[in-house]
């Protein structure tokens, strides 16, 4: 008698970039019925993370104490700093806290950086007079003010994709009227809603040059709050998130994919509190438009598919909603907050246009988990002034693999 051996080849679960709540609930039901799920947390992980960074979205935005309204005297100081920098005749990569001096506003910005790292994890500067300046001057102002929040700017693109130069500013704008959809691989370059995710690096900042005619609200959600819910209700998914995932390198021949966790636990030390970090973007596991998930790399598991949906739907349920006004600059702790955005509609003269910079503040920065160090180095390590570029208009984003 011959024995026939059946080999089951792992297949990618039925999951797409846009989360489907019904698929999520059905996957949850099937897993609970057919699998024995872990009921305790990984060793050392907190049953409940206690931190100012843990918050309920609808509560944290009450009172608007997360908004810092720039005063007239501070705006005059910003204008003087712009004139001072331009008189130096330096390249824009030389913008820093010394070449863009803000003697009276700087202490406030340093306090707000502490709020980013140890308080609620986000704030908005309101009132920059963007209509009074040229595009280049607005970029100088935005970069200069931000250098007092985080003195290190991150590359928005891997240097191997840009001939040794590094764009350190990105334009977040709908490009579907300019480029074919099949060439757009980043949701930020569409008018579509974005699902909850994190970017690369420590601090995400966004300047609103122009809001949309309709929609485009910014959504923030405490990843610590999401952790606490999962730790209580689904400890098995904490195991799943803290184990290795196949992160797509999107046609990176040197690294078709990398294996790393999405969730990291950092025990308290003498100088730092206990922390839980969740770092992920859904498209690295599902693909998006011009960047479908790469072939010939390991698929994610059903547990990982459920975990992705759980992160999104819990973040969505407990989100804070922030409107974007012209001249707002939003600063967000990327290590403690998921972000997303509502879809939007543009109209003549009302085309949503944001500028983005990734920042790091050496004074207040958190320790980078070792599996993320290579990615963080790609963004932040040795970003020389003469390699930095500041495109005045949107360009199609090229991907940097995780």
């Amino acid at each position: 008698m011959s024995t026939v051996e059946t080999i089951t080849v792992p297949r990618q679960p039925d999951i797409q970039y846009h989360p489907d709540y019904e698929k999520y609930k059905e996957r949850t039901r099937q897993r609970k019925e057919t699998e024995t799920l872990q009921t305790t947390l990984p060793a050392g992980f907190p049953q409940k993370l206690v931190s100012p960074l843990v918050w309920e979205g609808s509560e944290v935005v009450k009172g608007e104490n997360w908004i810092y309204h720039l005063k007239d005297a501070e705006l005059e100081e910003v204008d003087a700093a712009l004139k001072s920098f331009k008189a130096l005749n330096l390249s824009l990569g030389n913008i820093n806290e010394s070449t863009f001096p803000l003697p009276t506003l700087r202490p406030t910005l340093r306090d707000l950086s502490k709020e980013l790292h140890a308080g609620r994890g986000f704030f908005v500067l309101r009132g920059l007079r963007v209509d009074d300046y040229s595009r280049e001057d607005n970029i100088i102002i935005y970069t200069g003010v931000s250098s007092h929040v985080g003195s290190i700017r991150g590359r928005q693109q891997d240097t191997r994709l840009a001939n040794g130069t590094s764009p350190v500013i990105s334009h977040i704008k709908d490009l579907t009227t300019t480029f074919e959809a099949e060439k757009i691989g980043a949701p930020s370059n569409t008018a579509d809603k974005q699902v909850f995710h994190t970017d690369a690096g420590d601090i995400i900042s966004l300047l609103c040059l122009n809001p949309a005619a309709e929609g485009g609200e910014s959504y923030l959600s405490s990843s610590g709050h999401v952790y606490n819910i999962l730790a209580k209700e689904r400890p098995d998914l904490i195991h799943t998130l803290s184990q290795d995932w196949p992160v797509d390198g999107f046609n990176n021949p040197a690294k078709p994919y990398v294996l790393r966790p999405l969730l990291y636990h950092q025990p308290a030390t003498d100088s730092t509190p206990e922390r839980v970090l969740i770092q992920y973007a859904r498209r690295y596991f599902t693909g998006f438009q011009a960047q479908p998930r790469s072939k010939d790399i390991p698929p994610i598991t059903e547990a990982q598919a459920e975990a992705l949906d759980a992160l999104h739907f819990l973040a969505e349920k407990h989100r804070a909603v922030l409107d974007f006004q012209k001249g707002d600059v939003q600063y967000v702790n990327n290590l403690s907050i998921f972000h997303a955005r509502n879809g939007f509609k543009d109209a003549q003269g009302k085309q949503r246009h944001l500028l983005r910079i990734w920042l790091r503040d050496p004074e207040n920065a958190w320790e980078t988990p070792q599996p993320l160090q290579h990615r963080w180095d790609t963004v932040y390590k040795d970003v020389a002034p003469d390699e930095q570029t500041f495109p005045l208009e949107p360009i199609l984003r090229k991907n940097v693999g995780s």
Side-chain angles (χ1 to χ4, degrees):
M1 178 186 290
S2 63
T3 302
V4 177
E5 183 178 352
T6 301
I7 300 175
T8 303
V9 178
R11 292 169 50 183
Q12 179 78 355
D14 179 16
I15 186 169
Q16 292 76 39
Y17 172 76
H18 287 295
D20 183 316
Y21 189 73
E22 293 307 316
K23 285 183 181 178
Y24 164 52
K25 299 312 292 181
E26 176 60 19
R27 179 172 282 117
T28 299
R29 184 191 65 77
Q30 287 191 5
R31 293 196 64 232
K32 284 183 174 180
E33 287 183 0
T34 62
E35 299 180 38
T36 302
L37 305 179
Q38 288 149 311
T39 57
T40 58
L41 292 169
F45 278 59
Q47 296 288 335
K48 184 177 183 179
L49 182 68
V50 178
S51 166
L53 295 160
V54 175
W55 40 257
E56 173 63 50
S58 59
E59 294 296 320
V60 75
V61 291
K62 288 181 178 177
E64 295 197 343
N65 61 347
W66 47 274
I67 301 174
Y68 183 81
H69 294 270
L70 290 163
K71 304 173 183 66
D72 287 344
E74 293 166 335
L75 290 167
E76 293 304 316
E77 186 171 83
V78 168
D79 188 70
L82 168 67
K83 292 184 172 71
S84 174
F85 176 78
K86 291 175 73 173
L88 298 173
N89 290 316
L90 297 171
S91 67
L92 270 57
N94 289 282
I95 299 171
N96 58 47
E97 59 269 43
S98 298
T99 61
F100 196 93
L102 298 172
T104 59
L105 182 56
R106 177 175 170 79
T108 297
L109 295 176
R110 297 308 299 143
D111 286 343
L112 288 168
S113 181
K114 292 176 185 174
E115 179 69 22
L116 276 181
H117 292 83
R120 75 173 63 83
F122 71 94
F123 70 91
V124 168
L125 281 184
R126 178 155 288 172
L128 285 180
R129 299 166 177 165
V130 295
D131 285 341
D132 292 353
Y133 298 100
S134 67
R135 175 68 53 78
E136 183 174 48
D137 284 357
N138 274 317
I139 286 176
I140 293 171
I141 288 170
Y142 172 37
T143 305
V145 169
S146 295
S147 69
H148 293 269
V149 177
S151 60
I152 302 174
R153 286 186 288 279
R155 300 176 180 93
Q156 299 279 323
Q157 193 176 97
D158 194 327
T159 51
R160 68 185 171 85
L161 299 175
N163 300 319
T165 63
S166 295
V168 294
I169 201 162
S170 282
H171 295 255
I172 309 300
K173 191 177 183 183
D174 178 20
L175 300 183
T176 57
T177 59
T178 310
F179 296 94
E180 297 92 338
E182 58 268 19
K183 292 183 179 179
I184 297 175
S188 58
N189 292 142
T190 73
D192 205 351
K193 68 179 181 180
Q194 279 188 276
V195 301
F196 280 94
H197 65 286
T198 62
D199 284 2
D202 294 8
I203 303 169
I204 306 163
S205 69
L206 293 165
L207 164 64
C208 181
L209 292 175
N210 212 36
E214 182 182 329
E217 294 86 357
S218 174
Y219 300 146
L220 304 180
S221 196
S222 164
S223 57
H225 188 41
V226 170
Y227 169 86
N228 282 347
I229 294 168
L230 289 175
K232 180 180 179 181
E233 299 178 0
R234 292 295 303 276
D236 62 293
L237 292 182
I238 299 297
H239 282 270
T240 299
L241 291 164
S242 62
Q243 294 162 356
D244 278 345
W245 290 54
V247 183
D248 202 334
F250 288 124
N251 304 313
N252 180 348
K255 286 187 177 180
Y257 68 96
V258 296
L259 292 172
R260 69 165 178 84
L262 305 195
L263 183 152
Y264 305 88
H265 174 233
Q266 295 181 337
T269 69
D270 290 342
S271 57
T272 61
E274 182 175 39
R275 293 168 176 154
V276 172
L277 292 67
I278 304 177
Q279 287 296 291
Y280 86 108
R282 188 178 176 99
R283 66 191 183 91
Y284 286 99
F285 308 103
T286 65
F288 179 82
Q289 288 189 184
Q291 288 183 326
R293 183 156 174 82
S294 296
K295 297 177 180 178
D296 304 320
I297 69 171
I300 64 173
T301 65
E302 288 291 330
Q304 289 171 334
E306 187 192 3
L308 280 180
D309 281 346
L311 291 179
H312 172 78
F313 286 114
L314 285 173
E316 186 174 61
K317 182 177 180 180
H318 299 282
R319 70 190 181 189
V321 180
L322 282 64
D323 68 327
F324 252 131
Q325 298 184 17
K326 181 180 289 193
D328 278 1
V329 189
Q330 182 186 100
Y331 295 90
V332 174
N333 183 335
N334 187 56
L335 302 175
S336 72
I337 291 176
F338 301 135
H339 64 278
R341 100 165 165 227
N342 191 12
F344 62 90
K345 292 181 180 179
D346 285 336
Q348 189 66 36
K350 291 188 176 180
Q351 295 175 314
R352 189 179 192 269
H353 191 170
L354 310 181
L355 299 178
R356 182 182 70 192
I357 299 177
W358 291 333
L359 301 166
R360 183 173 174 87
D361 178 5
E363 181 182 344
N364 294 308
W366 294 9
E367 177 188 355
T368 304
Q370 189 279 325
L372 296 176
Q373 191 62 58
H374 174 76
R375 181 72 176 98
W376 259 235
D377 286 349
T378 298
V379 174
Y380 290 126
K381 189 175 182 181
D382 302 329
V383 188
D386 58 359
E387 82 174 68
Q388 297 178 37
T389 61
F390 297 76
L392 297 182
E393 296 296 334
I395 53 176
L396 267 188
R397 179 181 170 191
K398 295 179 182 178
N399 188 66
V400 182
S402 286

